Amino acid sequence: AQRVTQPEKLLSVFKGAPVELKCNYSYSGSPELFWYVQYSRQRLQLLLRHISRESIKGFTADLNKGETSFHLKKPFAQEEDSAMYYCALSTSGTYKYIFGTGTRLKVLA
Amino acid sequence: EAGVVQSPRYKIIEKKQPVAFWCNPISGHNTLYWYLQNLGQGPELLIRYENEEAVDDSQLPKDRFSAERLKGVDSTLKIQPAELGDSAVYLCASSLGGRGYNEQFFGPGTRLTVL
């Protein structure tokens, strides 16, 4: 069965420190992978997707098919990065969306 | 533009009562999703529509949940009768096309409390 695992429920880092939010997936096909973010009192919104190979707000994520991972990274965390982050997978063909349980990032001053 | 609109934002009902949630997607988005989000969990897909057709309802508990998307625009999700375990946030999302790489735009959600 398809699954997305985010092992950390909470990640606290100091401002200016590097950040890595982990995401591992289980899927035998060719996945589409995403990171969604929810800031306080805001809607869930797309942060980035692996197909675009883009950097958004300084965040990047690389799909590692060998390790079945799609970790989200930022070299220098900012206080405004504090939010809930969800990794999501879309299956090929059926386009079924599966979300992880989320990681709350707290950036401390 | 308002984005995806959901109503009501909050609903408190007693168990065994019916409840309905409404969603208006972004104009032109033919794909609509209903998700259930329990506390501390990620969204879980309940049903996905392509226009007015439900193309994936495998996770919808059909004994008590029903959904419709008449005319391929607005959608309604209903629970009848509600149970205590149905307390959660119900999210609606829409996208331009159902391809897996399409961005989903989420509504603010409806927080349901069943007493």
Side-chain angles (χ1 to χ4, degrees), chain B residues 5 8 21 39 46 69 76 87 93 101 108:
Chain B
V5 179
F21 314 123
L39 189 64
L46 289 172
R69 192 184 184 197
T76 301
S87 295
Y101 49 76

Side-chain angles (χ1 to χ4, degrees), chain B residues 16-55:
Chain B
K16 300 185 182 180
Q17 294 301 305
V19 64
F21 314 123
W22 175 80
C23 174
N24 177 245
I26 291 173
S27 177
H29 282 192
N30 59 317
T31 306
L32 184 146
Y33 311 79
W34 281 105
Y35 288 92
L36 163 70
Q37 186 171 24
N38 287 303
L39 189 64
Q41 301 295 316
E44 298 173 36
L45 181 68
L46 289 172
I47 189 168
R48 174 166 67 99
Y49 282 94
E50 296 288 343
N51 299 304
E52 63 272 12
E53 181 184 359
V55 296

Side-chain angles (χ1 to χ4, degrees), chain A residues 40-81:
Chain A
S40 179
R41 299 188 188 88
Q42 294 188 29
R43 311 171 176 215
L44 195 58
Q45 59 186 285
L46 178 68
L47 179 62
L48 55 80
R49 50 192 146 185
H50 94 269
I51 195 172
S52 301
R53 298 183 181 279
E54 57 201 345
S55 173
I56 303 294
K57 298 184 179 181
F59 284 98
T60 58
D62 291 318
L63 175 60
N64 186 323
K65 291 188 176 180
E67 296 183 357
T68 60
S69 68
F70 189 57
H71 302 328
L72 184 68
K73 300 177 183 179
K74 185 170 183 176
F76 308 103
Q78 302 299 313
E79 289 182 73
E80 55 265 31
D81 296 329

Side-chain angles (χ1 to χ4, degrees), chain B residues 54-82:
Chain B
V55 296
D56 184 354
D57 64 355
S58 57
Q59 301 302 311
L60 189 72
K62 299 181 184 63
D63 56 336
R64 297 185 300 108
F65 286 66
S66 64
E68 60 182 12
R69 192 184 184 197
L70 300 176
K71 300 181 181 179
V73 181
D74 295 359
S75 179
T76 301
L77 177 69
K78 297 178 182 178
I79 308 175
Q80 183 170 9

